[in-house]
Amino acid sequence: MPRPMLYYDDEDGDVSPDSVGFVEDDHPLQLHGNRELAAQAVKLLQVPDRSGDASFASSTTDMDVPIYVRGPSSRNLGHKGLNGRLLFAIIASAFGSAFQHGYNTGVVNAPQTLIENWIRSVISERNGGAIVEKSQVTLIWAVAVAIFCFGGMIGGLMTGIVAEKFGRKGGLLVSNSLVVVSSLLQGVSKMYSSYELIIIGRFLIGINSGLNAGLAPMYLAEISPMNLRGSVGTVYQLVVTISILVSQILGLDYILGTPDKWPVLLALIIVPGIFMFVTLPFCPESPKYTLINRKKDIEAEKGLQWLRGTLEVHDEMDEMRAENEAMKVIPRVTLREMLSNPMLKIPLGISVMIMLCQQLSGINAVMFFSTKIFEMAQMSPDGAKYATLGMGSLNVIMTLTSLFLVELSGRKTLLLIGFSAMFIDTVLLTIALMFVTTYVWVSYLAIIFVMVFVVAFAVGPGSIPWFLVSELFNSSARPLATSIAVGVNWTANFVVGLGFLPLQEILGSNVFLIFVVLLGLFVLYVYKKVPETKNKTLEEIQMFFRQESYK
């Protein structure tokens, strides 16, 4: 029968044992009574005292699966600071992925007229100089713009398969190969007088962006320490806002928004693509994926040590090993189980709803109306352009601010503040738009309301949905849940893009009344259903869903 052998550190002034080990009765350390040597051996083993910590919790289902609970130091688990290597991994993964998402969303706005004129000339040349109907050009342009979101839908739904087969980092690199092809096709489209190349190129970059929207937040969530999880997750949306602003600046008519240079504007996506190919291979794969999916414990520990910049990663490795042990007795998570098991269905519903809240909040409508509002305020066309750039800059600044606020205030708090402020602001904006043509000074109020809306969106609703899904699920369910949530986000984006203009033609500025109702419902949903995940471990979050499933 093994007997416990305790080690006390006299220097720390603590009367409790610092380490505990078990030595067999017939071991020389026991037989010869060499207590000092035995205690020294225990010290070298660095086995923390875990007495009285036995408990049971569920990891993914409502089955009673044993979790090897962490010791008294568990509340400090993962409380590590930002170091150079972790920052390098964040930049390598986020810049190369999120930049494609944002840049390709905004890049087509500035050169729209130029590209439409070029499409008209191409069609005319193909038909012997015949006159081309405006509706034909508009249809082709609409397809070229919308195909990006359609590709995003497909890429989003493929996230789970790619994440499981190639890993988080590996999936990003595989997806990045589409950037090279897309950049080449769009760059030579004018040379070969083929607008079809733009359509194909934007479809491919859409698939890439859909994959990135799932893989990058997943990778960022799994490499970040618990106390930085929210801030690191916000980096994805921060890069999206920066890239949208960059596309607006480069699209100005004295930079790349010219009849000769717009193909370069479209092909510039190759720059962040090359950046990812050069930098990301130096970063380790997600330690969780390496341990749980590839069953490589030593490699996972080395990867975690690289990311933390220290060899002291025992607590985090114990956490991942506990999750790995728990999942060995749980069947593989399937779509059927995801939709039927309460322990999975509840967080999936939250993930999907938060994605819908983001896309149906009215942010696209406000951005669309902003140019008209600037014109109503009697701004010149150039003035309206720079005002739009100012909005983009404000979006970047506030998203950067949310990077710090998310760990101070929490996810749920920022979502409530953001959606509540957007609700109140949209009510005021709707009222202002009713009188904007009558009183010029009201147009200035409308501009202020637009700015406030952008600030409220950037504070929480713009960034939190992307990483929240990774916090609600463990490693086995995370890829499938991310696929569904990201697919829903891109689908909603596609539907809003198709449906907003017809609604705006019918309702005019009253279209914002729809968003007033939706935002009110979103505030109630977040308040009632969304849990706070700030500084909470996976077991604590799962325990919340266990309790919810029993109600």
Side-chain angles (χ1 to χ4, degrees):
M1 180 71 181
R3 286 185 289 168
M5 189 73 69
L6 307 179
Y7 163 71
Y8 294 85
D9 186 356
D10 295 331
E11 295 180 3
D12 64 5
D14 188 0
V15 296
S16 61
D18 294 274
S19 301
V20 59
F22 293 91
V23 183
E24 294 290 342
D25 285 330
D26 58 352
H27 194 278
L29 291 175
Q30 294 280 23
L31 292 175
H32 299 294
N34 197 337
R35 306 288 296 178
E36 291 183 4
L37 185 59
Q40 189 65 26
V42 171
K43 177 184 178 182
L44 293 174
L45 286 173
Q46 292 290 307
V47 184
D49 179 18
R50 295 172 184 264
S51 57
D53 280 337
S55 73
F56 292 85
S58 173
S59 180
T60 58
T61 71
D62 55 355
M63 297 162 47
D64 285 330
V65 179
I67 297 295
Y68 300 94
V69 177
R70 301 166 308 281
S73 62
S74 66
R75 297 308 303 165
N76 295 319
L77 181 69
H79 281 254
K80 307 287 184 180
L82 186 65
N83 62 75
R85 288 179 175 179
L86 178 60
L87 182 62
F88 180 81
I90 292 169
I91 295 173
S93 57
F95 177 75
S97 58
F99 196 94
Q100 305 296 356
H101 186 165
Y103 186 85
N104 288 283
T105 298
V107 73
V108 291
N109 294 331
Q112 177 178 347
T113 303
L114 296 173
I115 299 177
E116 284 182 337
N117 291 336
W118 171 74
I119 292 173
R120 183 178 289 106
S121 66
V122 169
I123 298 174
S124 179
E125 288 178 10
R126 291 179 181 180
N127 292 278
I131 297 175
V132 181
E133 295 289 334
K134 182 181 178 180
S135 59
Q136 185 179 0
V137 176
T138 303
L139 177 62
I140 293 173
W141 176 248
V143 171
V145 173
I147 201 77
F148 173 69
C149 284
F150 184 71
M153 291 164 51
I154 296 175
L157 293 172
M158 291 170 57
T159 300
I161 299 172
V162 174
E164 288 289 319
K165 184 174 180 61
F166 300 103
R168 285 56 161 154
K169 167 193 159 184
L172 285 171
L173 290 172
V174 170
S175 173
N176 200 42
S177 61
L178 296 173
V179 175
V180 179
V181 180
S182 175
S183 175
L184 180 63
L185 292 175
Q186 295 185 82
V188 302
S189 58
K190 187 177 182 183
M191 182 190 306
Y192 289 98
S193 298
S194 173
Y195 55 80
E196 292 89 353
L197 293 179
I198 294 179
I199 295 174
I200 297 171
R202 281 187 60 80
F203 175 67
L204 293 177
I205 201 64
I207 295 175
N208 166 264
S209 298
L211 284 167
N212 290 344
L215 292 169
M218 198 186 308
Y219 181 70
L220 292 172
E222 293 184 357
I223 67 171
S224 58
M226 187 172 66
N227 63 313
L228 296 178
R229 207 168 51 198
S231 296
V232 173
T234 305
V235 171
Y236 182 85
Q237 179 66 14
L238 175 63
V239 177
V240 169
T241 59
I242 292 172
S243 57
I244 291 175
L245 180 61
V246 169
S247 71
Q248 292 172 340
I249 294 172
L250 294 178
L252 293 172
D253 51 16
Y254 54 84
I255 302 181
L256 293 178
T258 66
D260 295 325
K261 295 179 180 178
W262 63 258
V264 178
L265 184 66
L266 299 182
L268 273 180
I269 56 176
I270 191 65
V271 175
I274 292 174
F275 177 83
M276 178 180 279
F277 275 136
V278 171
T279 57
L280 194 56
F282 290 101
C283 304
E285 178 57 85
S286 159
K288 277 196 174 184
Y289 173 81
T290 303
L291 175 66
I292 296 173
N293 293 72
R294 296 175 60 190
K295 311 300 181 187
K296 295 185 177 180
D297 189 290
I298 296 177
E299 187 177 331
E301 186 165 3
K302 287 181 178 178
L304 191 60
Q305 289 171 346
W306 189 93
L307 291 165
R308 298 293 176 265
T310 177
L311 298 177
E312 299 298 324
V313 294
H314 307 301
D315 285 343
E316 283 191 85
M317 283 303 299
D318 286 348
E319 170 79 5
M320 290 191 292
R321 289 178 183 126
E323 185 179 342
N324 185 35
E325 290 298 320
M327 290 195 302
K328 286 180 179 179
V329 295
I330 298 172
R332 183 180 179 84
V333 176
T334 62
L335 180 60
R336 181 177 179 180
E337 185 181 3
M338 182 74 74
L339 298 176
S340 60
N341 191 320
M343 285 292 295
L344 298 172
K345 185 170 62 175
I346 294 173
L348 179 65
I350 293 172
S351 302
V352 168
M353 272 301 300
I354 291 299
M355 289 295 193
L356 288 174
C357 290
Q358 183 196 63
Q359 288 298 329
L360 301 180
S361 63
I363 184 65
N364 294 327
V366 169
M367 291 297 189
F368 174 81
F369 258 92
S370 62
T371 304
K372 287 189 175 183
I373 293 171
F374 295 146
E375 292 173 356
M376 290 174 182
Q378 299 180 351
M379 285 186 177
S380 65
D382 285 341
K385 283 183 182 178
Y386 291 118
T388 303
L389 290 179
M391 280 181 55
S393 302
L394 183 62
N395 197 6
V396 172
I397 293 169
M398 291 312 302
T399 305
L400 181 61
T401 304
S402 74
L403 189 144
F404 302 99
L405 290 177
V406 72
E407 294 299 352
L408 294 174
S409 303
R411 287 66 155 152
K412 183 173 184 175
T413 303
L414 286 185
L415 286 173
L416 282 173
I417 292 173
F419 283 125
S420 298
M422 290 162 72
F423 170 73
I424 297 170
D425 186 76
T426 307
V427 172
L428 297 174
L429 180 60
T430 304
I431 296 171
L433 290 176
M434 292 178 181
F435 301 99
V436 73
T437 55
T438 308
Y439 305 100
V440 175
W441 62 270
V442 176
S443 63
Y444 296 105
L445 277 180
I447 291 176
I448 294 173
F449 294 147
V450 167
M451 296 295 186
V452 171
F453 191 96
V454 171
V455 168
F457 179 80
V459 163
S463 57
I464 292 175
W466 293 115
F467 67 84
L468 185 65
V469 60
S470 293
E471 293 190 321
L472 299 182
F473 294 91
N474 73 2
S475 297
S476 65
R478 191 174 294 135
L480 180 56
T482 302
S483 286
I484 297 171
V486 172
V488 167
N489 185 287
W490 281 94
T491 303
N493 191 1
F494 182 70
V495 171
V496 169
L498 289 179
F500 174 71
L501 286 178
L503 283 174
Q504 188 270 327
E505 290 292 331
I506 297 170
L507 300 174
S509 60
N510 291 327
V511 71
F512 285 103
L513 291 173
I514 298 173
F515 298 112
V516 169
V517 175
L518 289 174
L519 285 167
L521 295 174
F522 296 160
V523 171
L524 290 174
Y525 181 83
V526 172
Y527 179 74
K528 292 285 188 181
K529 297 293 184 181
V530 178
E532 180 55 74
T533 58
K534 172 192 169 186
N535 284 342
K536 283 189 169 62
T537 63
L538 180 63
E539 291 105 276
E540 291 168 332
I541 296 170
Q542 291 289 325
M543 185 58 68
F544 170 83
F545 294 130
R546 170 185 280 272
Q547 294 168 353
E548 287 293 306
S549 66
Y550 288 151
K551 289 183 179 179

